[in-house]
Amino acid sequence: MSKIKCAIIGPGNIGTDLLYKLLRSDVLEPVWMVGVDPTSAGLARARELGLKTTEEGVDGLVPHVLADGVQIAFDATSAYVHPENSRKLNELGVVMIDLTPAAIGPLCVPPVNLETHAENAVMNVNMVTCAGQATIPMVAAVSRVQPVDYAEIIATVASKSIGPGTRKNIDEFTRTTSGAVMSVGGAKQGKAIVVINPAEPPLMMRDTVYCETADEPDRDAITASVKAMIAEVQKYVPGYRLKNGPTFNGRQVSIFLEVEGLGDFLPIYAGNLDIMTAAGARTAEMFARKMLDGSFNPKMAEMA
Amino acid sequence: MALEDQVRGRKVKLHDMCLRDGMHSMRHQISLEQMIAVSTGLDAAGVPLIQVTHGDGLGGSSLNYGRGLHSDQEYISAVASRMKNATVSVLHVPGIGTLDELRMAADCGAGCVHVASHCTEADVTEQHIGLGRKLGMDTVGFLMMAHMTDVEMLVSQALLMESYGATTVYCVDSAGYMLPADVTARVSAMRAVLKPETEIGFHGHHNLAMGVSNSLAAIAAGANRIDGSAAGFGAGAGNTPLEVFAAVAERMGIETGIDVFKLMDVAEDSVLPMMAKPPRADRDSLTLGYAGVYSTFLYNAKDCERRYGLPARDLLMELGRLKMIGGQEDMIEDTALTMAKARGLIAADA
């Protein structure tokens, strides 16, 4: 079976973890890794794994896109450079999977709305944040049963799993996540809190979801919906687990989760990294299948 | 040199916490009338800095930390407009509060901000310290749970905060765990490397009743800002009782500018009547200090004891063993559920 060729922009933790996942894919083939630092360990690793690399950023990739048949690109850089990266590659008909908090395209949480985005053939989808990927499926699992007035998520991640970019821009992380709790999760109001814990040995990623339903919660229906959604996420993140709950206290529903990573690049405690790259890969695979069966044909800007 | 000789003649700025840390004792339900009565009393007693926000700082009102009776905006506005001399300060924890909330606080009249992070994670505070400075606020870096790391690491984090623009850096004993020698080691190491013009503060909790002694040790080691709380209102067994500290300071010749009798009266007449059972070192609060657990976890742990029949002390010890830090209040119920299931107190599928 032929595969869709992909480029990864950003050879850091996310980009490298993603690379390992793409190498296992039936429908995706990573061919380029794009960086800005010639001494980057991530670029060297990608070269060892047989990818072409450039240290000239997206401008170093652009001249090769058509010749090498790149159709999907993942951006694992930063919210600041993503809009330009996306514009340059979209012009060449490359679909962008955005793993930064830039969120210029529609927000994608695979078990909630991936099919819709794939049917609409969008050219840029944003993967929200790791906290969003871990918690929004649960908000949606409650809101598909009955209206949710307010949802609040608390994500705790190991200090070693959070890079300098996220630390410097922690506000973007919480703002993008709380926005998606509403727009994708279906809560009327949303709030996101992030805690970075330095414990040694590092703690597994933990996520808590609180929902306040408009009326008395339907306990049985919500419990069943939550368990069904857990199984959906487990299809691409096997270490996604319901640790406790759902518990009910008045209108408040509490759901306690743990995310264990696959350990592709960072150790298994970094479930936050794993769920982000797994969601990105799953999204790209859905687009790739549609490209392969001919139902999605992204074109260059001039030709469209 | 005797402690008295080290601190005599020193000028120290006292910072009251009873309307912010005390929010924990009050489950974030202080009324605007109470806020105004206490803050104007503190102002009249000469307290130069008065902190006002939800117990977990700006944006803290939530299901995780408890909803506030009023918004931060209402609290800050109500107090700031009535201050004659005191500066209103706010607590701001990146990851909980956002930059927009800090701008709001400044607009409402807050003139000082404590930008807080866990003692090893100062690099999340760069944007927020930067904004505090840009807004013209007295900008303080606040290193919480400082007992959980070694002196060298704490100093490196204090230097980071200073490099972001903080003009004061705090050693914060959030768990009320430190003994005077721990305070001396940390504060003197910070004093040795921070710029001479950078001030150093100490924020103590009274779980082991060491708030006053630890604050004196901090001053002897070079601190010149001390946090306390009128009537000791605050998380766990409360903060360093401010009126007690002010009286001790006066006896020891430390200049605070406080009218001790007026401050005693605020504590006795305005603060204490707010609570039927003011914070004290009961067995659960004492456990916080004994085991080094975040003081704010106290009431959530007591709630879980009522709900699941699990002793709060056992739960707090387990949270300490799991190395939970400030902000992880959600893990209190999670851990209680796991423990209650293991002990057969609730069904395994609950």
Side-chain angles (χ1 to χ4, degrees), chain A residues 1 36-37 41 43-44 54 68 81 86 127 134 156 165 184 211 227 249 258 264 274:
Chain A
M1 188 174 175
V36 289
D37 174 6
L43 284 183
T54 170
D68 288 344
V81 297
S86 183
M127 302 313 298
T156 303
V184 183
C211 290
K227 288 187 173 159
N249 188 0
E258 180 177 81
D264 278 326
D274 196 63

Side-chain angles (χ1 to χ4, degrees), chain A residues 152 171 191 200 208 244, chain B residues 63-64 99 128 323 330 341:
Chain A
E152 179 178 308
D171 257 45
K191 184 175 178 71
E200 286 292 342
T208 299
N244 278 305
Chain B
L63 292 171
N64 198 26
L99 296 167
H128 302 78
K323 297 176 185 161
D330 58 318
K341 285 175 192 174

Side-chain angles (χ1 to χ4, degrees), chain A residues 267-278:
Chain A
I268 57 166
Y269 59 75
N272 45 315
L273 195 73
D274 196 63
I275 198 166
M276 194 66 180
T277 53

Side-chain angles (χ1 to χ4, degrees), chain B residues 3 5 7-8 22 40 63 113 184 216 226 246 267 282 295-296:
Chain B
L3 181 67
D5 298 322
V7 301
R8 188 178 303 117
T40 51
L63 292 171
V113 57
T184 303
L216 290 171
I226 295 296
D282 64 6
S295 294
T296 308

